[in-house]
Amino acid sequence: MATKPTFTSVDQADLDFLGREPIPAKYYHDADWYERERQAIFLRSWIEIGHVCELPQPGSFIRRELEFAGVSLLIVRGRDGEIRAFHNVCTHRGTQLTDQTEGRTSTFSCPYHRWTFGLDGALLSAPDFERFFTTKADCALPRVALETCAGLIFVNLAADPVPLRDWLGELAGELETLPVARATRFSEYVYDIAANWKLTYDNFQENYHLRFIHPRTGEATFSPDNPFGYPVRYQFFGPHRTQTIWTNPEPRIAPLQRVAMGKAMIAAARRGLAGGPNGREYFALFPNFFILGTVAPHFSHVVYPLGPQRSRGVIRIYWEGDDADASERFAREYVMAMARDVHAEDRAVIEAGQRGLASGALKHIHFQTQEALCRHLIGAVRDAVDGHEAAAGAGA
């Protein structure tokens, strides 16, 4: 007989290492602080930008615009099967090589003067190259650090970054147990929002708001043992964090949702994806990515900064294989629609919070125990900014 899960409250005393002090409101709207974050974090951290299933064959490529850095990247699978990242810039006079978002090619040719580059970034040919005062070896495409974990693609704009798996620590192995590591397809939607990246991200790492913003769509997590759907456990791994999502033994869901989710779970079980060791874990990777271990939906969310008070989110739901039948197709479409509906309930309140903070009316904001992950994120941000600036000062 299955044991009924019990809700374990996390006492504030267990989280004292995170601190209890109010948080300066400027962190969520100040232009100078944003620039310090950009320099210390986003130009030096591993940033998730895609999945290996987008590059199924040699010559497959995707283009990614990283507005926070002002760069355009080409992510390319070479003839040797290796995935590499290059700046989307011709080494002649800087013209971007392509404006296609994805495709397959054998070479990249600059539209300006037809300098042509191979899938490994090498300059293959250039008209009248003998008249230049350089070598082809010195004109290869500028490369960007790229590594993968669990099928997820990460890039790092730093010159010599710490290896990705060292950065992830023990979470690297945990991520490899997730369905995303076997994914071959995904559903995606992208949104721009008038809010700081941390304010946007924070909304999705606390359940304090569920009963107010999602009283219907979130009620599947509510139960007499845990009436507000709070997480069971928090864990912290350097700048990263996880939480264990509450499992409701008798979820309250609508009949159509029960049918769709049931079909999704049957399909997941048929593919051997159900019942993994981290099916109820939420993994938050510093600075701006999280993924939920549930198989239906198995979704990730990354929030890219666009400025002090603007950000862009990319939400993906990952699947393995094509739709096996009409039932699985229905389940997949329903899950994505449900995710969009839930997210739509958050958008206005996040932007309202940004307008309030940007007004300057508040000097500080306050986090409670169930917002532990929000407090941990801001602590990791401050540590990164302080560490970078200290290192820069020591090297001056």
Side-chain angles (χ1 to χ4, degrees), residues 37-102:
E37 288 180 340
R38 196 180 72 86
Q39 292 289 338
I41 299 170
F42 286 95
L43 299 184
R44 289 169 171 79
S45 296
W46 287 103
I47 305 296
E48 193 272 344
I49 51 86
H51 192 275
V52 297
C53 70
E54 299 175 80
L55 305 160
Q57 301 171 339
S60 297
F61 73 91
I62 54 178
R63 177 175 57 84
R64 290 291 185 264
E65 304 297 306
L66 300 183
E67 286 89 348
F68 61 80
V71 302
S72 175
L73 300 181
L74 292 174
I75 315 302
V76 185
R77 188 182 287 276
R79 288 187 175 87
D80 58 359
E82 182 179 347
I83 298 175
R84 302 175 177 88
F86 305 101
H87 285 280
N88 179 24
V89 53
C90 178
T91 52
H92 175 211
R93 283 164 57 182
T95 306
Q96 291 192 331
L97 297 171
T98 184
D99 58 4
Q100 290 182 260
T101 57
E102 61 182 350

Side-chain angles (χ1 to χ4, degrees), residues 97-270:
L97 297 171
T98 184
D99 58 4
Q100 290 182 260
T101 57
E102 61 182 350
R104 190 180 181 201
T105 186
S106 58
T107 60
F108 294 97
S109 289
C110 176
Y112 201 177
H113 298 97
R114 286 297 182 270
W115 281 34
T116 299
F117 301 86
L119 301 179
D120 60 356
L123 176 62
L124 300 179
S125 64
D128 300 326
F129 192 74
E130 68 276 4
R131 297 178 182 271
F132 285 87
F133 307 99
T134 185
T135 66
K136 288 184 178 179
D138 286 337
C139 295
L141 294 179
R143 192 164 173 177
V144 173
L146 180 151
E147 296 186 29
T148 65
C149 179
L152 298 164
I153 301 173
F154 296 79
V155 295
N156 194 314
L157 297 172
D160 187 22
V162 62
L164 174 63
R165 288 178 178 273
D166 290 350
W167 170 247
L168 294 174
E170 61 188 278
L171 292 185
E174 300 298 314
L175 293 171
E176 294 284 4
T177 71
L178 301 181
V180 71
R182 293 168 48 184
T184 60
R185 294 171 59 92
F186 61 89
S187 304
E188 174 187 274
Y189 72 92
V190 181
Y191 67 94
D192 284 12
I193 187 169
N196 179 269
W197 71 274
K198 296 183 301 302
L199 193 69
T200 302
Y201 191 93
D202 277 349
N203 180 79
F204 303 99
Q205 57 175 359
E206 54 90 352
N207 286 3
Y208 183 36
H209 72 285
L210 291 188
R211 52 185 151 153
F212 310 114
I213 304 302
H214 310 293
R216 293 295 302 277
T217 56
E219 68 178 350
T221 63
F222 304 158
S223 72
D225 291 322
N226 186 359
F228 307 132
Y230 287 157
V232 175
R233 177 182 63 172
Y234 303 124
Q235 295 187 92
F236 305 93
F237 305 84
H240 316 299
R241 66 209 77 90
T242 69
Q243 58 182 326
T244 305
I245 305 302
W246 166 251
T247 300
N248 188 347
E250 298 178 357
R252 297 192 295 267
I253 57 178
L256 181 60
Q257 184 179 5
R258 187 179 297 277
V259 170
M261 298 301 289
K263 291 181 181 297
M265 290 303 297
I266 290 172
R270 184 171 62 239

